[in-house]
Structures are given as C-alpha cells and as structure tokens.
Amino acid sequence: QVKFVESGGALVQSGGSLRLSCTTPGATLDYYAIGWFRQAPGKEREGVSCIGYRDGSTYYTDSVKGRFTISRDNAKNTVYLQMDSLKPEDTAVYYCAANLLRSTATPPIEHEYAYWGQGTQVTVSS
C-alpha cells in the first residue's frame, strides 16, 4: 500500500525555520498534485499548501502565505515544505498526501487526497 513518509519536524522557537520532506518509497508521484496538511490538537485537519505536478502552480492558505514555500523534486520523488518565521499557532502534526484527481495546485480538499502517512510533529515554542 502506498503511503507517504514525512520527516523534518522538530521543536523550534518562534521565528525559527524548519524544512519538511515527504516521499513515497517505492512509488512515483508522477501526475499528482501534492498537498501538505496539518492538524493541531483538538482541531480538524486543514490544508496548508499544494503544488502541481509540473506546471509550477502552488497554493497557500492565508495564514502561511509569505512564510511557507512548497517545492518538489520529481526526480527524487520528494516534496518539501520550507517553513520560515514560525509561530506557536503553526504547532501541529504535518502530513502530505497526493491528489488523485488533479495534477495542478488547488485549495486542498481532504477527500480528494490519498496515501496519507503518519505525519511529522512540528512544535513552535513562544
């Protein structure tokens, strides 16, 4: 069964940076838009960012615009989320998943996504 493996989460101080990575060992991400989601304690999972397959399209939710940057290396089958100027409200488990319906970036709608991994914990201290 295809699943993403996310990494790069850590405890960081407010204002700091982290770079998250996700990949699917043994499977390709070709043709799929890839999204990053996060779930904070006691809250529903929300779409954070999305990147298209090869068209350069990206999407960011308002709360992370100007701070987060999504990118992908199709040759390495890996998607990244560079997170700068982190805030305590960014604390969450971060997941990536593949949009099986689209190859271009759109606001992430959870039910369009599959291959969920275990996530990686990001904790931002104030």
Side-chain angles (χ1 to χ4, degrees):
Q1 185 177 3
V2 178
K3 282 190 175 182
F4 277 93
V5 176
E6 300 95 341
S7 62
L11 171 63
V12 64
Q13 289 189 335
S14 181
S17 298
L18 286 174
R19 188 194 195 202
L20 306 184
S21 302
C22 72
T23 189
T24 52
T28 179
L29 298 179
D30 287 354
Y31 309 118
Y32 300 143
I34 305 299
W36 280 97
F37 294 76
R38 66 185 179 187
Q39 187 167 22
K43 295 188 177 181
E44 292 186 353
R45 189 153 55 186
E46 65 165 338
V48 174
S49 183
C50 179
I51 187 166
Y53 170 48
R54 286 195 301 189
D55 63 356
S57 60
T58 58
Y59 165 85
Y60 299 94
T61 194
D62 286 346
S63 61
V64 307
K65 281 181 182 176
R67 301 189 298 120
F68 290 10
T69 304
I70 191 170
S71 61
R72 67 190 291 169
D73 185 334
N74 291 329
K76 294 183 178 180
N77 214 40
T78 301
V79 177
Y80 305 96
L81 186 67
Q82 177 68 39
M83 305 189 297
D84 298 317
S85 302
L86 282 162
K87 304 176 181 180
E89 51 264 43
D90 295 318
T91 295
V93 178
Y94 284 71
Y95 305 86
C96 61
N99 188 326
L100 304 188
L101 302 179
R102 306 178 195 275
S103 61
T104 191
T106 55
I109 300 174
E110 190 170 337
H111 71 257
E112 293 183 350
Y113 284 77
Y115 306 156
W116 297 92
Q118 295 299 309
T120 187
Q121 176 70 50
V122 172
T123 304
V124 185
S125 63
S126 57

